[in-house]
Amino acid sequence: MGETFAMKILGRAAGKKVREGEIVFVEPDYVLTHDNSSAIIGKFEATVPGSKVKYPKRLAIVLDHVIPAASSKNAAGHRKIRKFVDEQNIRHFYDIGTGICHQVLPEMGLVKPGSIVVGSDSHTCTYGAFNCFATGIDRTEAAGIWITGKTWFKVPETINIDITGSFTAGVSAKDLILTIIGDIGAGGANYMAVEFNGPAVAGFRICDRMTIANMGIEMGAKIAAFQANSVTDRYLEAMGVDISEALWSDNDAEYTRSYEYDLADIVPVAACPHQVDNVLPIQELPETGIDQVFIGTCTNGRIEDFQAALEILRGHTVHSDVRLLVGPASRKEYLKAMQMGLIQDFVEAGAVILPPGCGPCLGAHQGALAPDEKCLSTANRNFKGRMGEKDAEIYLSSPETAAASAITGRITDPREVL
Amino acid sequence: MQVFCYKQDDINTDLLFPGKYTYTCSTGPEILEHLLEDLDPAFAKSVKSGDIIIAGENFGCGSSREQPSLGLRYVGLKAVIARSFARIFYRSAINQGLLLVQSPEAVEAYNEGNEVEIDPAGGIIRIEGRTFNFPALPSEMLSILADGGLLNHIRKEFSGGDER
Ligand code: SF4
C-alpha cells in the first residue's frame, strides 16, 4: 500500500517508516510566531532563564496582528519582541508593515516544499499551498520548540479532495473552499490531513492555493496540502528556494475518505453567522443589508483578489450605507497594487485603505463593529465576537461577492452586476 | 463539584475567550475575567477548582490561542468531557496540563444535576452509578500531563540534565 503525503513527510523527518496514529518526534524547519511572541518570550524566560534559543535561524517572527500598536500595552509587547530578536540574533524578524505572517513567510522564501512549519497561529496551514506540512500550535508549545527545537505529531489519516473542471464567471477559490467546508463541517476533518488532488489543481494560481489551504483549519484539518507543480516551482525558484525536497502521496495511497468537486458546479456562496460551515448560496440568502465590507486578510488580501474585486467595483461607488475597508496582505502586495493603480481605483470608489496587517479580522482594533452591525468580510472566520462585538454579524465571501455587495449595500451575487 | 454542561457542537475559541483580548490578557487572573464570556457570562464568577465541563463535538475549534486551555487549567478545572475536541485545543490542553476526556457516551448519558466522577489513570468516568471507559493517553502525553504541562516537563528534563 502506498503512503500519503503526511506519512512521507513525517516519516522522513522522524527518520523511519511511520503508520497512521503513531506518535513521532520531529524538528520543525520553521516556527512562526507573531505579536503573541511577547507572551511566548515570557514563557521561554520563565522556563529557561538566561538561555539561548536552540535554533535561532528557525524562528520567524512577524508583527502583524495589532499594527501599528493600538495601545501602549501592545506597543510594550512589540518592544519586548524587538529586544528579544536583538538579544537572540533572530534573523527572520519582520517588523510592522511587512505584512500578514502567512503572506510574509512565502514572500521571504521560508516555505520550502517538503518542509515542516509550525506556527502559534491556526492559519499556519496556509503553507500547505507550497507543499509544506504546516500546522498551528499554541504559545506554550512554541516556547517549548524555541527551547528544545523539537515537538511531537500524531501521524494523521488523510482526506482526499479531487477537483475537476473550471470556475464559471464570478466564482473563485473562496467559493470552492467555503462550499467544501459547508459539506465536510467545522469538525469534519478534525485531526486529519487534507490533500487537494485532481486535474483542476494544475490551473490554480498561487493565490488560489493559498486561499484554499488557509481555510483547512475551518474544517478542523491538521494540514491542508497541495502537490508542488510548475506554478509553485516558478514562484519559489524566483526567490532561490530549494524545491528539490517536495513530496507527494503515492498513487495507491489509502485515504480515509474522498470527495469530488467539479468547479463548474460551484456558485457564489457565503458563510453565515456564526459558523464557517454555515454556508449558503448567495441566491438563497434572504435580503441582507450590510454596514461594512472588508476585503483583505491572509485569505483574500492579494493582488488577484483586488483585481477581481475591482473588475466589479470600477465605475461604481460604494453604497452610501456601507464602509469599504481594504487591507493589502503585505507591503509587497501593497506596492504592486499601487503600481498597478488598484489602490487609486479603490480610493476613488470610496474605500479606506488599511496598513498591511490583520486589520479588523481579529477584532482587536481598526474597523471594529457596533452592536447589531453586519459585516461582509473576505476573511476566514465569522465566529460570534470575532470582530470585537458579540452582537454583530459576520458573513464570509469571495472578493467578487464582497465588491458586488459594497455597491448594492446588501449581500449580492456578483453575477448580478458582472 | 459543579458540572457546566454545554452540549452544543463546535464551541469555538472566541466563545471560550474573545479574540479582542488576546493581546492584552495572558495571565491566569486576566484570562479568568473573560473566560467563556460570550458563551456563559456566569461561568467566570462561579467556576471553582475541581469542576467539570461537559461539551459536544469539536470543542475548542478555531484559533490557536491558548487562553481557553490556560484559563481552565488556572481555575483548576478537573476535566472537560466532550464528544470530541478540536485538534489544536486538544494539544494546547495537554501543554497546559489540563485533562480532556473524549467520551460521546458519557456526554450522552449526562443529565443536569448528575454527579460525575473521573479516574484519569483508570480511564473511567462514573455518572450516577454508570461507568464509561475512555482510552488511555499515549505515554508521551501522560508524562507531560503528570509534570503539570509542557514547560514544567521541559524544565524537569533540563534540570535533570537529560537533554535529548
Ligand atoms: S488576517 Fe486574520 S486570520 Fe489571517 S493571520 Fe491575521 S488575524 Fe489570523
Side-chain angles (χ1 to χ4, degrees):
Chain A
M1 187 189 87
E3 295 190 354
T4 62
F5 171 66
M7 289 163 83
K8 283 193 186 175
I9 200 162
L10 291 177
R12 183 167 69 190
K16 60 177 184 177
K17 216 171 162 62
V18 298
R19 6 172 213 88
E20 289 173 350
E22 179 176 350
I23 304 249
V24 295
F25 282 85
V26 302
E27 294 198 328
D29 295 86
Y30 283 103
V31 190
L32 160 76
T33 59
H34 44 66
D35 300 41
N36 58 16
S37 306
S38 65
I40 299 167
I41 292 166
K43 289 169 190 288
F44 176 87
E45 289 176 343
T47 307
V48 285
S51 287
K52 289 281 174 202
V53 167
K54 177 139 187 187
Y55 300 121
K57 280 187 203 151
R58 296 187 190 173
L59 269 57
I61 299 182
V62 186
L63 298 188
D64 60 354
H65 270 57
V66 186
I67 59 99
S71 66
S72 60
K73 199 162 176 183
N74 295 139
H78 290 170
R79 183 172 63 188
K80 181 168 168 187
I81 296 166
R82 294 186 189 104
K83 183 165 162 267
F84 183 80
V85 160
D86 271 352
E87 288 166 0
Q88 296 275 350
N89 265 316
I90 310 296
R91 182 195 301 177
H92 303 299
F93 170 65
Y94 306 102
D95 212 325
I96 71 162
T98 317
I100 306 170
C101 51
H102 305 310
Q103 181 66 21
V104 169
L105 260 64
E107 281 179 357
M108 298 300 167
L110 306 189
V111 294
K112 198 174 80 167
S115 66
I116 297 176
V117 183
V118 293
S120 61
D121 188 280
S122 59
H123 296 102
T124 300
C125 54
T126 309
Y127 320 129
F130 303 94
N131 192 244
C132 297
F133 183 101
T135 192
I137 54 174
D138 72 357
R139 298 171 177 184
T140 295
E141 189 166 346
I145 300 172
W146 285 4
I147 299 167
T148 66
K150 67 175 185 204
T151 191
W152 57 271
F153 287 115
K154 187 154 128 189
V155 182
E157 295 176 22
T158 297
I159 291 179
N160 175 40
I161 298 182
D162 253 310
I163 310 168
T164 58
S166 36
F167 287 119
T168 54
V171 181
S172 63
K174 183 65 162 291
D175 297 301
L176 171 66
I177 189 62
L178 286 175
T179 303
I180 294 174
I181 293 165
D183 293 345
I184 293 183
N190 204 0
Y191 298 106
M192 301 176 86
V194 174
E195 289 184 8
F196 298 97
N197 284 302
V201 167
F204 286 168
R205 304 162 297 176
I206 294 287
C207 60
D208 301 324
R209 288 171 162 251
M210 289 179 77
T211 300
I212 293 168
N214 176 270
M215 295 198 69
I217 180 67
E218 307 309 331
M219 46 183 161
K222 179 172 204 155
I223 63 162
F226 287 88
Q227 184 172 17
N229 67 4
S230 57
V231 176
T232 52
D233 287 355
R234 226 177 303 127
Y235 176 88
L236 295 171
E237 269 186 315
M239 284 174 297
V241 176
D242 173 13
I243 56 165
S244 67
E245 295 196 355
L247 284 172
W248 199 239
S249 295
D250 295 320
N251 287 332
D252 59 343
E254 219 164 87
Y255 297 114
T256 303
R257 269 183 279 150
S258 282
Y259 298 82
E260 280 173 32
Y261 286 89
D262 183 344
L263 296 182
D265 298 337
I266 305 296
V267 297
V269 293
C272 303
H274 298 284
Q275 296 254 129
V276 185
D277 61 357
N278 186 13
V279 175
L280 275 181
I282 307 283
Q283 304 222 309
E284 289 175 24
L285 279 183
E287 165 122 2
T288 310
I290 43 175
D291 304 285
Q292 179 165 298
V293 172
F294 173 37
I295 302 178
T297 79
C298 55
T299 319
N300 283 116
R302 286 171 276 275
I303 286 294
E304 296 85 347
D305 301 314
F306 291 173
Q307 284 174 314
L310 281 166
E311 241 155 69
I312 290 165
L313 206 52
R314 261 190 215 107
H316 297 269
T317 45
V318 172
H319 193 277
S320 56
D321 293 342
V322 175
R323 315 179 290 266
L324 172 62
L325 309 180
V326 173
S330 69
R331 176 178 286 137
K332 284 193 176 167
E333 295 294 284
Y334 196 2
L335 269 173
K336 267 190 265 172
M338 290 217 295
Q339 286 153 2
M340 293 165 74
L342 308 184
I343 297 297
Q344 171 137 8
D345 291 348
F346 271 127
V347 173
E348 277 174 3
V352 175
I353 310 294
L354 304 176
C358 299
C361 183
L362 72 161
H365 61 154
Q366 299 156 0
L369 301 171
D372 301 321
E373 283 195 325
K374 290 187 175 62
C375 178
L376 179 63
S377 164
T378 63
N380 44 35
R381 230 167 237 165
N382 61 349
F383 297 164
K384 199 179 178 105
R386 169 81 180 179
M387 290 177 79
E389 169 50 56
K390 73 172 174 9
D391 293 322
E393 294 192 337
I394 306 166
Y395 292 77
L396 306 176
S397 79
S398 70
E400 290 86 345
T401 299
S405 308
I407 298 169
T408 61
R410 56 182 168 79
I411 300 182
T412 301
D413 187 321
R415 296 171 302 184
E416 273 177 40
V417 290
L418 271 179
Chain B
M1 188 236 6
Q2 306 173 83
V3 178
F4 296 88
C5 185
Y6 313 112
K7 279 198 192 178
Q8 70 258 45
D9 296 341
D10 304 316
I11 290 179
N12 62 57
T13 44
D14 279 79
L15 291 173
L16 298 176
F17 185 84
K20 61 186 164 194
Y21 309 122
T22 328
Y23 301 101
T24 45
C25 301
S26 53
T27 64
E30 287 170 341
I31 293 168
L32 177 58
E33 257 182 68
H34 304 291
L35 203 57
L36 275 57
E37 184 170 281
D38 290 344
L39 176 70
D40 176 1
F43 177 83
K45 286 192 192 70
S46 54
V47 66
K48 293 198 181 55
S49 181
D51 289 351
I52 287 173
I53 289 179
I54 296 217
E57 298 276 2
N58 203 24
F59 184 80
C61 63
S63 158
S64 65
R65 76 183 63 125
E66 68 185 20
Q67 283 92 342
S69 55
L70 203 156
L72 293 174
R73 158 93 170 140
Y74 168 75
V75 300
L77 197 82
K78 171 112 198 237
V80 183
I81 304 173
R83 289 183 202 274
S84 67
F85 296 95
R87 188 193 73 87
I88 299 179
F89 177 76
Y90 187 83
R91 233 179 145 78
S92 181
I94 291 172
N95 290 339
Q96 304 307 333
L98 170 69
L99 179 66
L100 299 187
V101 177
Q102 184 172 351
S103 175
E105 302 78 22
V107 173
E108 189 62 44
Y110 175 79
N111 291 309
E112 214 178 313
N114 287 173
E115 279 292 315
V116 181
E117 275 174 62
I118 304 176
D119 168 7
I124 294 170
I125 304 169
R126 284 191 200 83
I127 299 179
E128 299 287 314
R130 293 178 63 187
T131 60
F132 304 89
N133 297 309
F134 58 90
L137 281 171
S139 60
E140 293 88 343
M141 270 89 264
L142 276 177
S143 71
I144 294 174
L145 272 180
D147 290 343
L150 179 70
L151 294 180
N152 287 333
H153 180 70
I154 289 174
R155 202 176 281 129
K156 220 166 122 180
E157 268 187 27
F158 265 61
S159 60
D162 169 24
E163 206 177 319
R164 281 178 290 178

